[in-house]
PDB file of all heavy atoms in Angstrom:
ATOM      1  N   ILE A   1      34.663   9.166  14.241  1.00  0.00           N
ATOM      2  CA  ILE A   1      35.168   8.921  15.591  1.00  0.00           C
ATOM      3  C   ILE A   1      34.193   8.008  16.320  1.00  0.00           C
ATOM      4  O   ILE A   1      32.996   8.297  16.402  1.00  0.00           O
ATOM      5  CB  ILE A   1      35.314  10.230  16.390  1.00  0.00           C
ATOM      6  CG1 ILE A   1      36.051  11.291  15.577  1.00  0.00           C
ATOM      7  CG2 ILE A   1      36.014   9.964  17.709  1.00  0.00           C
ATOM      8  CD1 ILE A   1      37.500  11.049  15.370  1.00  0.00           C
ATOM      9  N   ILE A   2      34.700   6.888  16.841  1.00  0.00           N
ATOM     10  CA  ILE A   2      33.848   5.996  17.629  1.00  0.00           C
ATOM     11  C   ILE A   2      34.476   5.770  19.003  1.00  0.00           C
ATOM     12  O   ILE A   2      35.648   6.078  19.221  1.00  0.00           O
ATOM     13  CB  ILE A   2      33.612   4.645  16.923  1.00  0.00           C
ATOM     14  CG1 ILE A   2      34.908   3.822  16.866  1.00  0.00           C
ATOM     15  CG2 ILE A   2      33.047   4.861  15.531  1.00  0.00           C
ATOM     16  CD1 ILE A   2      34.694   2.405  16.362  1.00  0.00           C
ATOM     17  N   ASP A   3      33.700   5.256  19.911  1.00  0.00           N
ATOM     18  CA  ASP A   3      34.161   4.939  21.265  1.00  0.00           C
ATOM     19  C   ASP A   3      34.620   3.486  21.280  1.00  0.00           C
ATOM     20  O   ASP A   3      33.829   2.581  21.022  1.00  0.00           O
ATOM     21  CB  ASP A   3      33.010   5.157  22.257  1.00  0.00           C
ATOM     22  CG  ASP A   3      33.449   5.065  23.716  1.00  0.00           C
ATOM     23  OD1 ASP A   3      34.310   4.214  24.039  1.00  0.00           O
ATOM     24  OD2 ASP A   3      32.911   5.826  24.540  1.00  0.00           O
ATOM     25  N   SER A   4      35.894   3.263  21.585  1.00  0.00           N
ATOM     26  CA  SER A   4      36.456   1.912  21.550  1.00  0.00           C
ATOM     27  C   SER A   4      35.766   0.945  22.508  1.00  0.00           C
ATOM     28  O   SER A   4      35.828  -0.264  22.308  1.00  0.00           O
ATOM     29  CB  SER A   4      37.951   1.959  21.880  1.00  0.00           C
ATOM     30  OG  SER A   4      38.654   2.649  20.879  1.00  0.00           O
ATOM     31  N   ARG A   5      35.113   1.469  23.532  1.00  0.00           N
ATOM     32  CA  ARG A   5      34.418   0.600  24.488  1.00  0.00           C
ATOM     33  C   ARG A   5      33.137   0.035  23.900  1.00  0.00           C
ATOM     34  O   ARG A   5      32.676  -1.025  24.297  1.00  0.00           O
ATOM     35  CB  ARG A   5      34.105   1.374  25.777  1.00  0.00           C
ATOM     36  CG  ARG A   5      35.334   1.851  26.526  1.00  0.00           C
ATOM     37  CD  ARG A   5      34.971   2.856  27.610  1.00  0.00           C
ATOM     38  NE  ARG A   5      34.408   4.085  27.028  1.00  0.00           N
ATOM     39  CZ  ARG A   5      34.008   5.130  27.740  1.00  0.00           C
ATOM     40  NH1 ARG A   5      34.093   5.095  29.065  1.00  0.00           N
ATOM     41  NH2 ARG A   5      33.531   6.211  27.140  1.00  0.00           N
ATOM     42  N   ILE A   6      32.550   0.768  22.921  1.00  0.00           N
ATOM     43  CA  ILE A   6      31.284   0.338  22.312  1.00  0.00           C
ATOM     44  C   ILE A   6      31.362   0.568  20.792  1.00  0.00           C
ATOM     45  O   ILE A   6      30.661   1.430  20.254  1.00  0.00           O
ATOM     46  CB  ILE A   6      30.080   1.079  22.926  1.00  0.00           C
ATOM     47  CG1 ILE A   6      30.309   2.601  22.934  1.00  0.00           C
ATOM     48  CG2 ILE A   6      29.812   0.587  24.332  1.00  0.00           C
ATOM     49  CD1 ILE A   6      29.056   3.395  23.312  1.00  0.00           C
ATOM     50  N   PRO A   7      32.178  -0.204  20.080  1.00  0.00           N
ATOM     51  CA  PRO A   7      32.393   0.025  18.647  1.00  0.00           C
ATOM     52  C   PRO A   7      31.150  -0.116  17.773  1.00  0.00           C
ATOM     53  O   PRO A   7      31.110   0.428  16.673  1.00  0.00           O
ATOM     54  CB  PRO A   7      33.428  -1.050  18.274  1.00  0.00           C
ATOM     55  CG  PRO A   7      34.120  -1.371  19.543  1.00  0.00           C
ATOM     56  CD  PRO A   7      33.052  -1.272  20.594  1.00  0.00           C
ATOM     57  N   VAL A   8      30.162  -0.844  18.248  1.00  0.00           N
ATOM     58  CA  VAL A   8      28.916  -0.986  17.476  1.00  0.00           C
ATOM     59  C   VAL A   8      27.950   0.139  17.828  1.00  0.00           C
ATOM     60  O   VAL A   8      27.470   0.866  16.953  1.00  0.00           O
ATOM     61  CB  VAL A   8      28.250  -2.348  17.739  1.00  0.00           C
ATOM     62  CG1 VAL A   8      26.912  -2.433  17.016  1.00  0.00           C
ATOM     63  CG2 VAL A   8      29.158  -3.486  17.289  1.00  0.00           C
ATOM     64  N   SER A   9      27.685   0.295  19.099  1.00  0.00           N
ATOM     65  CA  SER A   9      26.699   1.284  19.538  1.00  0.00           C
ATOM     66  C   SER A   9      27.110   2.712  19.232  1.00  0.00           C
ATOM     67  O   SER A   9      26.250   3.586  19.065  1.00  0.00           O
ATOM     68  CB  SER A   9      26.449   1.133  21.046  1.00  0.00           C
ATOM     69  OG  SER A   9      25.887  -0.126  21.348  1.00  0.00           O
ATOM     70  N   SER A  10      28.413   2.977  19.164  1.00  0.00           N
ATOM     71  CA  SER A  10      28.870   4.351  18.928  1.00  0.00           C
ATOM     72  C   SER A  10      28.984   4.694  17.448  1.00  0.00           C
ATOM     73  O   SER A  10      29.471   5.762  17.092  1.00  0.00           O
ATOM     74  CB  SER A  10      30.213   4.607  19.616  1.00  0.00           C
ATOM     75  OG  SER A  10      31.225   3.739  19.135  1.00  0.00           O
ATOM     76  N   ARG A  11      28.521   3.787  16.587  1.00  0.00           N
ATOM     77  CA  ARG A  11      28.476   4.067  15.147  1.00  0.00           C
ATOM     78  C   ARG A  11      27.037   4.366  14.740  1.00  0.00           C
ATOM     79  O   ARG A  11      26.160   3.510  14.873  1.00  0.00           O
ATOM     80  CB  ARG A  11      29.022   2.894  14.332  1.00  0.00           C
ATOM     81  CG  ARG A  11      30.484   2.612  14.550  1.00  0.00           C
ATOM     82  CD  ARG A  11      31.015   1.696  13.466  1.00  0.00           C
ATOM     83  NE  ARG A  11      31.063   2.395  12.181  1.00  0.00           N
ATOM     84  CZ  ARG A  11      31.047   1.778  10.997  1.00  0.00           C
ATOM     85  NH1 ARG A  11      30.932   0.454  10.936  1.00  0.00           N
ATOM     86  NH2 ARG A  11      31.122   2.473   9.885  1.00  0.00           N
ATOM     87  N   ASN A  12      26.810   5.572  14.284  1.00  0.00           N
ATOM     88  CA  ASN A  12      25.474   5.958  13.840  1.00  0.00           C
ATOM     89  C   ASN A  12      25.149   5.231  12.540  1.00  0.00           C
ATOM     90  O   ASN A  12      25.805   5.448  11.523  1.00  0.00           O
ATOM     91  CB  ASN A  12      25.429   7.475  13.621  1.00  0.00           C
ATOM     92  CG  ASN A  12      24.032   7.990  13.345  1.00  0.00           C
ATOM     93  OD1 ASN A  12      23.183   7.271  12.817  1.00  0.00           O
ATOM     94  ND2 ASN A  12      23.782   9.230  13.699  1.00  0.00           N
ATOM     95  N   PRO A  13      24.138   4.364  12.523  1.00  0.00           N
ATOM     96  CA  PRO A  13      23.817   3.598  11.320  1.00  0.00           C
ATOM     97  C   PRO A  13      23.393   4.470  10.145  1.00  0.00           C
ATOM     98  O   PRO A  13      23.480   4.054   8.991  1.00  0.00           O
ATOM     99  CB  PRO A  13      22.681   2.676  11.768  1.00  0.00           C
ATOM    100  CG  PRO A  13      22.099   3.340  12.967  1.00  0.00           C
ATOM    101  CD  PRO A  13      23.242   4.020  13.644  1.00  0.00           C
ATOM    102  N   MET A  14      22.950   5.711  10.426  1.00  0.00           N
ATOM    103  CA  MET A  14      22.554   6.608   9.348  1.00  0.00           C
ATOM    104  C   MET A  14      23.757   7.104   8.547  1.00  0.00           C
ATOM    105  O   MET A  14      23.619   7.509   7.392  1.00  0.00           O
ATOM    106  CB  MET A  14      21.801   7.816   9.911  1.00  0.00           C
ATOM    107  CG  MET A  14      20.453   7.496  10.509  1.00  0.00           C
ATOM    108  SD  MET A  14      19.471   9.005  10.802  1.00  0.00           S
ATOM    109  CE  MET A  14      20.590   9.959  11.828  1.00  0.00           C
ATOM    110  N   LEU A  15      24.951   7.082   9.160  1.00  0.00           N
ATOM    111  CA  LEU A  15      26.121   7.632   8.497  1.00  0.00           C
ATOM    112  C   LEU A  15      26.501   6.870   7.232  1.00  0.00           C
ATOM    113  O   LEU A  15      26.999   7.457   6.273  1.00  0.00           O
ATOM    114  CB  LEU A  15      27.307   7.667   9.463  1.00  0.00           C
ATOM    115  CG  LEU A  15      27.276   8.772  10.525  1.00  0.00           C
ATOM    116  CD1 LEU A  15      28.469   8.649  11.457  1.00  0.00           C
ATOM    117  CD2 LEU A  15      27.252  10.150   9.873  1.00  0.00           C
ATOM    118  N   ASP A  16      26.283   5.553   7.233  1.00  0.00           N
ATOM    119  CA  ASP A  16      26.602   4.772   6.037  1.00  0.00           C
ATOM    120  C   ASP A  16      25.825   5.290   4.830  1.00  0.00           C
ATOM    121  O   ASP A  16      26.373   5.429   3.731  1.00  0.00           O
ATOM    122  CB  ASP A  16      26.285   3.288   6.258  1.00  0.00           C
ATOM    123  CG  ASP A  16      27.314   2.604   7.139  1.00  0.00           C
ATOM    124  OD1 ASP A  16      28.461   3.086   7.191  1.00  0.00           O
ATOM    125  OD2 ASP A  16      26.976   1.596   7.778  1.00  0.00           O
ATOM    126  N   GLU A  17      24.560   5.581   5.054  1.00  0.00           N
ATOM    127  CA  GLU A  17      23.719   6.098   3.974  1.00  0.00           C
ATOM    128  C   GLU A  17      24.114   7.522   3.617  1.00  0.00           C
ATOM    129  O   GLU A  17      24.164   7.895   2.433  1.00  0.00           O
ATOM    130  CB  GLU A  17      22.241   6.054   4.401  1.00  0.00           C
ATOM    131  CG  GLU A  17      21.285   6.592   3.350  1.00  0.00           C
ATOM    132  CD  GLU A  17      19.841   6.575   3.832  1.00  0.00           C
ATOM    133  OE1 GLU A  17      19.562   5.972   4.885  1.00  0.00           O
ATOM    134  OE2 GLU A  17      18.996   7.168   3.132  1.00  0.00           O
ATOM    135  N   ILE A  18      24.407   8.327   4.641  1.00  0.00           N
ATOM    136  CA  ILE A  18      24.749   9.731   4.418  1.00  0.00           C
ATOM    137  C   ILE A  18      26.079   9.865   3.686  1.00  0.00           C
ATOM    138  O   ILE A  18      26.204  10.607   2.702  1.00  0.00           O
ATOM    139  CB  ILE A  18      24.819  10.493   5.762  1.00  0.00           C
ATOM    140  CG1 ILE A  18      23.432  10.577   6.406  1.00  0.00           C
ATOM    141  CG2 ILE A  18      25.387  11.898   5.558  1.00  0.00           C
ATOM    142  CD1 ILE A  18      23.440  11.128   7.812  1.00  0.00           C
ATOM    143  N   ILE A  19      27.101   9.131   4.151  1.00  0.00           N
ATOM    144  CA  ILE A  19      28.447   9.260   3.594  1.00  0.00           C
ATOM    145  C   ILE A  19      28.570   8.588   2.238  1.00  0.00           C
ATOM    146  O   ILE A  19      29.290   9.050   1.357  1.00  0.00           O
ATOM    147  CB  ILE A  19      29.482   8.677   4.584  1.00  0.00           C
ATOM    148  CG1 ILE A  19      29.492   9.516   5.874  1.00  0.00           C
ATOM    149  CG2 ILE A  19      30.880   8.656   3.968  1.00  0.00           C
ATOM    150  CD1 ILE A  19      30.327   8.923   6.984  1.00  0.00           C
ATOM    151  N   GLY A  20      27.864   7.475   2.061  1.00  0.00           N
ATOM    152  CA  GLY A  20      27.881   6.783   0.774  1.00  0.00           C
ATOM    153  C   GLY A  20      29.265   6.276   0.397  1.00  0.00           C
ATOM    154  O   GLY A  20      29.940   5.629   1.205  1.00  0.00           O
ATOM    155  N   ASP A  21      29.717   6.617  -0.815  1.00  0.00           N
ATOM    156  CA  ASP A  21      30.997   6.127  -1.317  1.00  0.00           C
ATOM    157  C   ASP A  21      32.175   7.031  -0.963  1.00  0.00           C
ATOM    158  O   ASP A  21      33.297   6.785  -1.412  1.00  0.00           O
ATOM    159  CB  ASP A  21      30.943   5.967  -2.848  1.00  0.00           C
ATOM    160  CG  ASP A  21      29.948   4.889  -3.270  1.00  0.00           C
ATOM    161  OD1 ASP A  21      29.759   3.935  -2.491  1.00  0.00           O
ATOM    162  OD2 ASP A  21      29.357   5.022  -4.365  1.00  0.00           O
ATOM    163  N   LYS A  22      31.940   8.078  -0.212  1.00  0.00           N
ATOM    164  CA  LYS A  22      33.022   8.988   0.175  1.00  0.00           C
ATOM    165  C   LYS A  22      34.069   8.211   0.976  1.00  0.00           C
ATOM    166  O   LYS A  22      33.722   7.440   1.870  1.00  0.00           O
ATOM    167  CB  LYS A  22      32.461  10.127   1.025  1.00  0.00           C
ATOM    168  CG  LYS A  22      33.494  11.145   1.500  1.00  0.00           C
ATOM    169  CD  LYS A  22      33.959  12.047   0.382  1.00  0.00           C
ATOM    170  CE  LYS A  22      32.903  13.004  -0.069  1.00  0.00           C
ATOM    171  NZ  LYS A  22      33.415  14.010  -1.034  1.00  0.00           N
ATOM    172  N   PRO A  23      35.362   8.357   0.653  1.00  0.00           N
ATOM    173  CA  PRO A  23      36.406   7.666   1.431  1.00  0.00           C
ATOM    174  C   PRO A  23      36.270   7.953   2.919  1.00  0.00           C
ATOM    175  O   PRO A  23      35.922   9.064   3.325  1.00  0.00           O
ATOM    176  CB  PRO A  23      37.701   8.257   0.865  1.00  0.00           C
ATOM    177  CG  PRO A  23      37.348   8.654  -0.534  1.00  0.00           C
ATOM    178  CD  PRO A  23      35.928   9.140  -0.454  1.00  0.00           C
ATOM    179  N   ARG A  24      36.552   6.914   3.723  1.00  0.00           N
ATOM    180  CA  ARG A  24      36.327   7.051   5.167  1.00  0.00           C
ATOM    181  C   ARG A  24      37.366   6.269   5.941  1.00  0.00           C
ATOM    182  O   ARG A  24      37.836   5.222   5.508  1.00  0.00           O
ATOM    183  CB  ARG A  24      34.927   6.517   5.508  1.00  0.00           C
ATOM    184  CG  ARG A  24      34.636   6.552   6.991  1.00  0.00           C
ATOM    185  CD  ARG A  24      33.283   6.019   7.427  1.00  0.00           C
ATOM    186  NE  ARG A  24      32.397   5.501   6.422  1.00  0.00           N
ATOM    187  CZ  ARG A  24      31.176   5.015   6.704  1.00  0.00           C
ATOM    188  NH1 ARG A  24      30.756   5.007   7.947  1.00  0.00           N
ATOM    189  NH2 ARG A  24      30.417   4.542   5.760  1.00  0.00           N
ATOM    190  N   ILE A  25      37.718   6.781   7.110  1.00  0.00           N
ATOM    191  CA  ILE A  25      38.508   6.024   8.076  1.00  0.00           C
ATOM    192  C   ILE A  25      37.767   6.051   9.410  1.00  0.00           C
ATOM    193  O   ILE A  25      36.996   6.972   9.679  1.00  0.00           O
ATOM    194  CB  ILE A  25      39.943   6.581   8.250  1.00  0.00           C
ATOM    195  CG1 ILE A  25      39.913   8.029   8.749  1.00  0.00           C
ATOM    196  CG2 ILE A  25      40.735   6.460   6.967  1.00  0.00           C
ATOM    197  CD1 ILE A  25      41.296   8.586   9.040  1.00  0.00           C
ATOM    198  N   ILE A  26      37.969   5.021  10.203  1.00  0.00           N
ATOM    199  CA  ILE A  26      37.379   4.965  11.539  1.00  0.00           C
ATOM    200  C   ILE A  26      38.480   5.190  12.565  1.00  0.00           C
ATOM    201  O   ILE A  26      39.529   4.543  12.514  1.00  0.00           O
ATOM    202  CB  ILE A  26      36.684   3.617  11.784  1.00  0.00           C
ATOM    203  CG1 ILE A  26      35.370   3.559  11.001  1.00  0.00           C
ATOM    204  CG2 ILE A  26      36.415   3.400  13.270  1.00  0.00           C
ATOM    205  CD1 ILE A  26      34.597   2.273  11.188  1.00  0.00           C
ATOM    206  N   ILE A  27      38.232   6.125  13.452  1.00  0.00           N
ATOM    207  CA  ILE A  27      39.182   6.415  14.513  1.00  0.00           C
ATOM    208  C   ILE A  27      38.596   5.910  15.827  1.00  0.00           C
ATOM    209  O   ILE A  27      37.602   6.439  16.323  1.00  0.00           O
ATOM    210  CB  ILE A  27      39.493   7.918  14.590  1.00  0.00           C
ATOM    211  CG1 ILE A  27      40.182   8.362  13.289  1.00  0.00           C
ATOM    212  CG2 ILE A  27      40.362   8.234  15.799  1.00  0.00           C
ATOM    213  CD1 ILE A  27      40.487   9.822  13.202  1.00  0.00           C
ATOM    214  N   MET A  28      39.210   4.860  16.358  1.00  0.00           N
ATOM    215  CA  MET A  28      38.739   4.255  17.604  1.00  0.00           C
ATOM    216  C   MET A  28      39.298   5.053  18.780  1.00  0.00           C
ATOM    217  O   MET A  28      40.407   4.841  19.235  1.00  0.00           O
ATOM    218  CB  MET A  28      39.172   2.792  17.670  1.00  0.00           C
ATOM    219  CG  MET A  28      38.519   1.924  16.612  1.00  0.00           C
ATOM    220  SD  MET A  28      39.072   0.207  16.666  1.00  0.00           S
ATOM    221  CE  MET A  28      38.618  -0.260  18.344  1.00  0.00           C
ATOM    222  N   ASN A  29      38.481   5.981  19.260  1.00  0.00           N
ATOM    223  CA  ASN A  29      38.891   6.878  20.333  1.00  0.00           C
ATOM    224  C   ASN A  29      38.722   6.212  21.703  1.00  0.00           C
ATOM    225  O   ASN A  29      38.020   5.217  21.839  1.00  0.00           O
ATOM    226  CB  ASN A  29      38.053   8.157  20.253  1.00  0.00           C
ATOM    227  CG  ASN A  29      38.612   9.273  21.103  1.00  0.00           C
ATOM    228  OD1 ASN A  29      39.805   9.287  21.421  1.00  0.00           O
ATOM    229  ND2 ASN A  29      37.762  10.215  21.468  1.00  0.00           N
ATOM    230  N   LYS A  30      39.381   6.777  22.700  1.00  0.00           N
ATOM    231  CA  LYS A  30      39.302   6.294  24.083  1.00  0.00           C
ATOM    232  C   LYS A  30      39.789   4.848  24.194  1.00  0.00           C
ATOM    233  O   LYS A  30      39.284   4.074  25.020  1.00  0.00           O
ATOM    234  CB  LYS A  30      37.874   6.437  24.623  1.00  0.00           C
ATOM    235  CG  LYS A  30      37.340   7.869  24.500  1.00  0.00           C
ATOM    236  CD  LYS A  30      35.962   8.037  25.098  1.00  0.00           C
ATOM    237  CE  LYS A  30      35.470   9.468  24.897  1.00  0.00           C
ATOM    238  NZ  LYS A  30      34.141   9.720  25.465  1.00  0.00           N
TER     239      LYS A  30
END
């Protein structure tokens, strides 16, 4: 879940490393 007003800042950069190859979708909230 990210904030549509700040699509970059609301993405935790650590999540890419944590989630790895696990399938993912981004939900642009608000």
Side-chain angles (χ1 to χ4, degrees):
I1 311 289
I2 68 172
D3 189 322
S4 294
R5 297 168 296 180
I6 50 170
V8 176
S9 297
S10 60
R11 295 195 69 203
N12 188 332
M14 292 193 304
L15 284 177
D16 285 335
E17 179 182 349
I18 293 172
I19 295 172
D21 295 330
K22 180 73 70 172
R24 177 181 1 180
I25 60 175
I26 286 181
I27 296 177
M28 294 178 59
N29 194 23
K30 305 183 182 181

